[in-house]
């Protein structure tokens, strides 16, 4: 029987599949889609995230098969540019989530994680005396240079980032391609985050949104993935740029084994020592039948189920 508390290895998984205007049903131990072209089996055991667009319906049995195979299901808007909801990921282990919560809630530790996140984007070591404001300024320059370089390489004019959900079709082709590519990148990052037991909402640089940590992680790769791909797609033609951007992302993720990189990079930036006596060295999920720990304002953590009232209750 599969241990749902184990942390999965997703580096060899297929990245994602986007579907719309079809019906999804269980097919043996996997699933299949039914549309105007007939039946198409889907190997959900090797799939990391399934994105369901408009016009899709899915059976209870199919959702159960996807969950049993550790495939994250997301409900999205047309062309996958909006995120509505998602199911569970591949692990029930709480250790990574607990570490993420501690690191994001203590200012000194959060600052260390943020610096590690920015460090991933620069070849040079960031000086310890640089403020976060200075580092964000460097990041802004880096992103603007990435847009300018992609524009110069492809010959596609760039007048700035423009994305209006209520007026999607009036955006220029390269901006629509960018939004579609970023949406795919968010989906894959979200799947990797949830699969290793982390919260998509507990961000470090980004804050206050349901997908704050997804935005944090996706920013590692935009200058490498979504920006150059979007400009390349726009340079090859101005029609159907959204779909072509999604296909280009899918191929890039597979060929460059991006899923494995995402997991490794997340583990790297969160590998900050936690030197807090009350929680240092605590074991997590070492017994699946145990009720867990109880938090105490004086003792730190105590065993779950321990009597704590004067009346023995």
């Amino acid at each position: 029987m599969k241990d749902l508390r184990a942390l999965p290895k997703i580096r060899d998984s297929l990245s994602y599949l986007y579907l719309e205007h079809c019906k999804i049903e269980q097919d043996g131990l996997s699933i299949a889609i039914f549309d105007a072209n007939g039946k198409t089996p889907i190997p959900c055991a090797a799939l990391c995230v399934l994105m369901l667009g408009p016009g899709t319906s899915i059976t209870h049995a199919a959702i159960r098969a996807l969950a049993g195979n550790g495939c994250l299901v997301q409900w999205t808007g047309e062309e996958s540019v909006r995120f509505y909801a998602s199911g569970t990921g591949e692990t029930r282990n709480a250790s990574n989530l607990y570490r993420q919560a501690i690191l994001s809630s203590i200012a000194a530790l959060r600052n260390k994680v943020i610096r590690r996140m920015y460090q991933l984007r620069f070849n040079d070591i960031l000086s310890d005396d640089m403020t976060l404001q200075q580092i964000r300024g460097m990041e802004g320059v880096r992103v603007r240079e990435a847009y300018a370089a992609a524009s110069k390489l492809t010959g596609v004019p760039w007048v700035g980032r423009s994305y209006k959900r209520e007026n999607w079709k009036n955006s220029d082709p390269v901006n629509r391609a960018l939004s579609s590519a970023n949406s795919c990148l968010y989906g894959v990052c979200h799947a990797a985050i949830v699969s290793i037991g982390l919260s998509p909402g507990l961000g470090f640089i980004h804050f206050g949104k349901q997908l704050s940590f997804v935005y944090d992680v996706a920013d590692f790769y935009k200058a490498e993935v979504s920006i150059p791909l979007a400009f390349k797609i726009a340079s090859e033609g101005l029609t159907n740029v959204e779909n072509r951007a999604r296909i280009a992302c899918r191929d890039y993720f597979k060929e460059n084994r991006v899923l494995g990189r995402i997991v490794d990079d997340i583990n790297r930036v969160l590998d900050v020592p936690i030197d807090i006596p009350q929680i240092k060295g605590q074991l997590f999920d070492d017994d699946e039948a145990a009720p867990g720990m109880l938090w105490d304002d004086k003792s730190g953590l105590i065993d779950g189920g321990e009597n704590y009232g004067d009346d023995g209750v």
Side-chain angles (χ1 to χ4, degrees), residues 178-257:
L178 270 168
S179 295
S180 293
N182 285 339
S183 180
C184 294
L185 183 58
Y186 293 150
V188 172
C189 290
H190 192 162
I193 288 167
V194 176
S195 291
I196 57 176
L198 294 168
S199 167
L202 289 179
F204 293 84
I205 297 173
H206 293 85
F207 177 77
K209 302 293 287 186
Q210 186 183 26
L211 300 179
S212 290
F213 192 52
V214 175
Y215 302 146
D216 281 352
V217 175
D219 280 351
F220 299 163
Y221 314 106
K222 284 182 179 178
E224 172 194 341
V225 181
S226 54
I227 293 176
L229 282 180
F231 277 85
K232 182 175 184 295
I233 291 299
S235 71
E236 294 172 347
L238 303 182
T239 59
N240 203 23
V241 293
E242 297 92 341
N243 184 60
R244 290 190 288 117
R246 288 200 305 271
I247 293 173
C249 285
R250 178 200 65 192
D251 294 342
Y252 185 93
F253 295 153
K254 179 180 179 181
E255 292 168 6
N256 293 274
R257 306 178 74 86

Side-chain angles (χ1 to χ4, degrees), residues 256-293:
N256 293 274
R257 306 178 74 86
V258 171
L259 273 172
R261 285 183 53 197
I262 293 173
V263 173
D264 289 341
D265 288 341
I266 291 174
N267 288 332
R268 188 176 299 113
V269 298
L270 296 185
D271 188 23
V272 172
I274 299 177
D275 190 15
I276 303 174
Q278 292 90 337
I279 59 177
K280 187 177 180 181
Q282 291 288 344
L283 297 177
F284 305 98
D285 282 353
D286 54 345
D287 183 354
E288 61 180 307
M293 308 292 286

Side-chain angles (χ1 to χ4, degrees), residues 2-50:
K2 185 175 181 180
D3 183 1
L4 292 179
R5 294 167 58 258
L7 293 177
K9 296 181 179 179
I10 65 170
R11 65 181 68 249
D12 295 323
S13 300
L14 303 176
S15 56
Y16 77 92
L17 177 65
Y18 173 80
L19 299 175
E20 61 181 30
H21 302 293
C22 64
K23 184 175 182 180
I24 303 104
E25 296 183 355
Q26 184 180 18
D27 184 34
L29 298 177
S30 190
I31 62 170
I33 63 173
F34 297 84
D35 58 14
N37 297 318
K39 172 183 173 181
T40 305
I42 303 298
C44 63
L47 186 63
C48 192
V49 56
L50 178 65

Side-chain angles (χ1 to χ4, degrees), residues 14-241:
L14 303 176
S15 56
Y16 77 92
L17 177 65
Y18 173 80
L19 299 175
E20 61 181 30
H21 302 293
C22 64
K23 184 175 182 180
I24 303 104
E25 296 183 355
Q26 184 180 18
D27 184 34
L29 298 177
S30 190
I31 62 170
I33 63 173
F34 297 84
D35 58 14
N37 297 318
K39 172 183 173 181
T40 305
I42 303 298
C44 63
L47 186 63
C48 192
V49 56
L50 178 65
M51 304 170 73
L52 303 179
T56 55
S57 63
I58 187 166
T59 65
H60 179 278
I63 286 289
R64 185 178 58 193
L66 289 162
N69 283 286
C71 180
L72 177 68
V73 181
Q74 295 182 346
W75 285 262
T76 71
E78 186 177 5
E79 307 294 353
S80 70
V81 296
R82 293 192 185 187
F83 174 90
Y84 297 127
S86 68
T88 58
E90 196 170 356
T91 182
R92 307 296 182 267
N93 188 296
S95 59
N96 279 352
L97 177 59
Y98 190 36
R99 164 172 282 274
Q100 181 188 16
I102 294 169
L103 294 174
S104 65
S105 58
I106 298 175
L109 297 177
R110 183 177 189 142
N111 185 57
K112 291 180 180 179
V113 173
I114 290 174
R115 288 179 177 274
R116 288 184 178 218
M117 287 181 163
Y118 280 122
Q119 186 62 63
L120 274 180
R121 313 175 200 187
F122 297 97
N123 293 325
D124 298 329
I125 301 297
L126 297 177
S127 173
D128 291 337
D129 59 2
M130 291 186 66
T131 66
L132 288 181
Q133 292 75 18
Q134 291 173 322
I135 297 174
R136 283 199 296 268
M138 291 176 57
E139 171 66 359
V141 171
R142 186 183 75 94
V143 173
R144 287 193 295 272
E145 289 178 346
Y147 284 129
S151 177
K152 182 178 180 180
L153 179 65
T154 60
V156 175
W158 177 247
V159 295
R161 189 73 172 104
S162 175
Y163 168 54
K164 296 180 179 179
R165 289 183 297 180
E166 69 280 3
N167 204 8
W168 168 255
K169 292 300 181 182
N170 281 351
S171 297
D172 58 56
V174 69
N175 267 289
R176 297 203 307 273
L178 270 168
S179 295
S180 293
N182 285 339
S183 180
C184 294
L185 183 58
Y186 293 150
V188 172
C189 290
H190 192 162
I193 288 167
V194 176
S195 291
I196 57 176
L198 294 168
S199 167
L202 289 179
F204 293 84
I205 297 173
H206 293 85
F207 177 77
K209 302 293 287 186
Q210 186 183 26
L211 300 179
S212 290
F213 192 52
V214 175
Y215 302 146
D216 281 352
V217 175
D219 280 351
F220 299 163
Y221 314 106
K222 284 182 179 178
E224 172 194 341
V225 181
S226 54
I227 293 176
L229 282 180
F231 277 85
K232 182 175 184 295
I233 291 299
S235 71
E236 294 172 347
L238 303 182
T239 59
N240 203 23
V241 293

